[in-house]
Amino acid sequence: MTRKEALLCLGVESTAHTFGCAVVAGDGRILSDARAVYRAPEGKGIHPREASRHHIDRSSGALGDALASAGVSMKDIDLVGYSAGPGLGPCLRVGAVVARTVAGYYKKPLVPVNHALGHIELGAMLTGASDPLVLLVSGGHTMILAFLEGRWRVSGETLDITVGQLLDQFGRSAGFSSPCGGRIEELAGRSNKEHYHSLPYVVKGNDVSFSGLLTAAIRQASSDDNNGNEEEEKKERLEAVCYSLQETAFAMLAEAVERALSFTGKKEMMIVGGVSANRRLAEMLQAACARHGARFYSCPIKYAGDNGAQIAWTALSEYAATGKKVAVKDASVTQSWRLDTVDVSWRRTVAAPA
Ligand code: AMP
Ligand code: MG
């Protein structure tokens, strides 16, 4: 057994809605994954201070659950990883305080982790993707990334809101409670291309823009040109706009991904983040991958959203390769910590067979 395989890491995640603690072993076994998820009031978005209060209330329970279901105590843990950004300041600080406290008290090495990197590294470990082009699509991110010379380089990203925000803000305007992506997918499935509403399709270079699409979709869903059976027409219109919203937004992403596959020549493509649960998006990406001879990977749904395991696994990978850690007094958080500024020279890639 190598040094890494023998290590046990406690990972703490608290960037946004989820407070998560997980214990992961260096051979990739996820021994536990405890999560508490803040739900915003009906029709509202996530309120950072309210979410941080939720995290404070639930942090000791999640930590206890993670240790108990892994069948370990803090003494068995070799290192502690925590999500140090990007994310909502008040939420990030709760996770950092919990991680600092246990690491300081039990004298364990403490490793700050970039949350976006956590999504990617856990996805790569679980799917077996080695050197993929990555589409990271979540509440907080919309980015296309390729690993080159020690860093994840951004090949394309959103110029305004993320695709998760597009779906959630549209859904809330229609009266759904956040997160709305699953509900929109369900309603979209009841409509079809005969009912497609034309919506703004904005790809600039390899970047996408969703804000005009959001405004137009909200307007179309609420426009009132019906006569006769109003309720039935409203329902059908909403289903048609959900369908059109998905088709437009996902085609924009698929176009940018396809161009990135062509530029980078990557032979693997991986989707991670909460929006990767969407079957229509996966279908469009699979078609783009097939045209470029690239293998398509999707992070298992259970681990697609925010969780402590992504943080634990990334901390383990970095620590085993570099031994890098921070002193408790220097363990800070950074609300806008871009992934392309993070040194990941410890990452090992194995080229996919041609
Ligand atoms: P994350 O920030 O990674 O936890 O992802 C949360 C985002 O994923 C939210 O914006 C959800 O609306 C979105 N989401 C969850 N399930 C689906 C789905 N089936 N289709 C599209 N988006 C989804
Ligand atoms: Mg996330």
Side-chain angles (χ1 to χ4, degrees):
M1 197 183 277
T2 65
R3 196 170 82 89
K4 181 182 178 189
E5 282 166 354
L7 293 174
L8 276 190
C9 181
L10 168 72
V12 182
E13 158 60 33
S14 73
T15 50
H17 43 64
T18 300
F19 188 90
C21 288
V23 178
V24 176
D27 59 4
R29 278 173 305 134
I30 299 173
L31 303 183
S32 65
D33 170 30
R35 302 179 203 183
V37 181
Y38 162 81
R39 297 261 170 240
E42 192 99 341
K44 296 256 169 67
I46 179 167
H47 188 301
R49 202 182 54 231
E50 293 305 319
S52 75
R53 285 192 181 135
H54 163 272
H55 294 353
I56 291 166
D57 286 348
R58 305 293 294 274
S59 55
S60 58
L63 176 61
D65 285 352
L67 294 171
S69 45
V72 299
S73 73
M74 262 319 291
K75 294 205 173 97
D76 304 314
I77 297 289
D78 297 294
L79 69 151
V80 177
Y82 73 100
S83 213
L88 305 170
C91 299
L92 283 169
R93 283 191 281 278
V94 179
V97 166
V98 170
R100 271 190 223 125
T101 307
V102 289
Y105 185 77
Y106 289 96
K107 305 204 172 4
K108 307 290 180 187
L110 184 58
V111 181
V113 171
N114 179 286
H115 173 81
L117 184 61
H119 272 292
I120 296 173
E121 292 303 330
L122 185 70
M125 188 270 277
L126 293 172
T127 59
S130 166
D131 186 21
L133 181 81
V134 173
L135 175 64
L136 169 56
V137 273
S138 66
H141 295 92
T142 295
M143 280 180 152
I144 299 166
L145 302 136
F147 192 71
L148 184 74
E149 294 176 356
R151 285 195 184 179
W152 284 99
R153 314 280 170 175
V154 180
S155 140
E157 62 188 322
T158 179
L159 297 170
D160 39 55
I161 55 173
T162 68
V163 65
Q165 286 166 336
L166 167 72
L167 296 170
D168 293 343
Q169 288 185 30
F170 173 77
R172 289 203 299 272
S173 79
F176 313 157
S177 44
S178 256
C180 311
R183 182 86 194 276
I184 291 171
E185 179 172 18
E186 188 196 320
L187 295 185
R190 296 186 201 156
S191 195
N192 58 51
K193 60 176 185 258
E194 279 163 34
H195 302 285
Y196 181 78
H197 287 240
S198 183
L199 290 169
Y201 180 103
V202 186
V203 179
K204 295 184 179 174
N206 222 27
D207 293 327
V208 292
S209 159
F210 292 125
S211 59
L213 172 54
L214 172 64
T215 311
I218 292 176
R219 197 178 300 133
Q220 299 226 9
S222 57
S223 82
D224 200 11
D225 60 354
N226 48 25
N227 37 43
N229 186 350
E230 285 191 19
E231 277 315 304
E232 191 52 31
E233 282 193 22
K234 253 188 177 160
K235 193 172 131 292
E236 278 173 15
R237 171 178 287 272
L238 182 59
E239 289 166 0
V241 178
C242 287
Y243 171 83
S244 312
L245 180 66
Q246 283 204 160
E247 291 300 302
T248 311
F250 297 165
M252 287 162 56
L253 291 172
E255 180 193 326
V257 162
E258 186 155 1
R259 194 173 302 118
L261 278 174
S262 168
F263 282 176
T264 62
K266 297 277 181 197
K267 288 296 163 212
E268 299 175 325
M269 195 260 134
M270 177 176 75
I271 178 170
V272 292
V275 183
S276 60
N278 191 287
R279 280 158 302 205
R280 179 61 181 137
L281 177 58
E283 200 177 277
M284 286 194 195
L285 295 171
Q286 265 165 326
C289 285
R291 286 191 286 274
H292 291 266
R295 203 160 158 191
F296 176 74
Y297 297 92
S298 178
C299 182
I301 289 185
K302 182 168 178 218
Y303 294 106
D306 298 350
N307 63 80
Q310 59 195 189
I311 304 307
W313 176 246
T314 310
L316 264 170
S317 305
E318 177 169 7
Y319 183 75
T322 65
K324 244 165 78 183
K325 56 184 176 171
V326 292
V328 167
K329 68 175 175 46
D330 298 327
S332 56
V333 297
T334 309
Q335 288 192 65
S336 49
W337 183 15
R338 274 184 71 90
L339 176 54
D340 52 4
T341 66
V342 181
D343 172 27
V344 201
S345 45
W346 46 267
R347 180 165 224 279
R348 299 279 160 264
T349 57
V350 181

